[in-house]
Every structure is written in structure tokens, then in C-alpha cells.
Amino acid sequence: GIGTYTTTINLPATWDAARNGATLDLGQVVDTIVVAVNGTEVPVNQIVATADLGHLLRPGANTLEVKVGTTLNNQLIEATVGFPINASLAARGVQEYGIAGPVSLRPYTEATVTWK
């Protein structure tokens, strides 16, 4: 199945989208991840469950949506109770799924540095 997590991030009027950004760290996530900010999908590092939200955040309310697609393992275990196939599935055990976290959002500012 697909679990959808949605939240609103409120940023101050002083937020400068041209210079500021944020990195989303989802912590432990089981299976595939899709992240969107204000309706725009961003690339996600599927291995470490992080996404650079770049300059998509703006002053005021921002919608963050995370979708996590899981395997059918748990559903197959439930659907095949009493069938021979269930023994091999059940031996693997019920899998965790979704976002286990911890989740963090780390803002950053970009600046030009001149070396002399």
C-alpha cells in the first residue's frame, strides 16, 4: 500500500527563498519514498531517506507531503492464513512499514564567499 503523510510548515515573512533552503531527514523509512513541497516533487536519496527541499519553501504556509510505498508481504501473510504458502511467509515475519523516524527539517542559507 501507500501511506501518505502531510504537514504544514509555517515560515516567517523574513524567509528568503532565493538564499534559504532546508534538508528533510526522514530517519528510518521502510520502502520507497516520494516527497513533494507545495505540489512539486523533489529528488529523494532512497538509501538514507533524505531530500534537499532547495528553494521550494516560501514565507508563510508550506505543504510537505511524503508518500511511502510498501511491499505486499504483510497483506500476503494475512490473506494466506491456513494455506501452505503462509508458513514460508510467516517465517519471515511481519515487516515494519512507513516512517519510523525520527524526522527532522534542517534549514540552511547559501552565501557567496570570496577568497583574497
Side-chain angles (χ1 to χ4, degrees):
I2 297 176
T4 302
Y5 304 81
T6 306
T7 192
T8 300
I9 302 165
N10 291 300
L11 296 173
T14 56
W15 183 268
D16 181 356
R19 293 184 40 225
N20 298 324
T23 302
L24 175 65
D25 184 342
L26 295 169
Q28 181 182 346
V29 179
V30 179
D31 251 327
T32 58
I33 310 159
V34 175
V35 173
V37 177
N38 298 320
T40 301
E41 283 190 19
V42 296
V44 177
N45 182 325
Q46 299 287 325
I47 304 299
V48 293
T50 60
D52 185 348
L53 307 184
H55 303 290
L56 294 173
L57 296 171
R58 58 183 183 240
N62 294 268
T63 302
L64 175 63
E65 181 179 79
V66 179
K67 292 184 180 182
V68 180
T70 63
T71 69
L72 293 175
N73 181 73
N74 295 347
Q75 183 62 35
L76 287 172
I77 290 173
E78 185 177 319
T80 60
V81 170
F83 290 93
I85 190 174
N86 184 268
S88 64
L89 287 171
R92 286 189 243 160
V94 173
Q95 295 177 335
E96 290 185 6
Y97 57 91
I99 299 175
V103 176
S104 64
L105 184 66
R106 291 185 301 275
Y108 62 80
T109 298
E110 292 182 355
T112 302
V113 177
T114 304
W115 293 95
K116 293 184 180 189

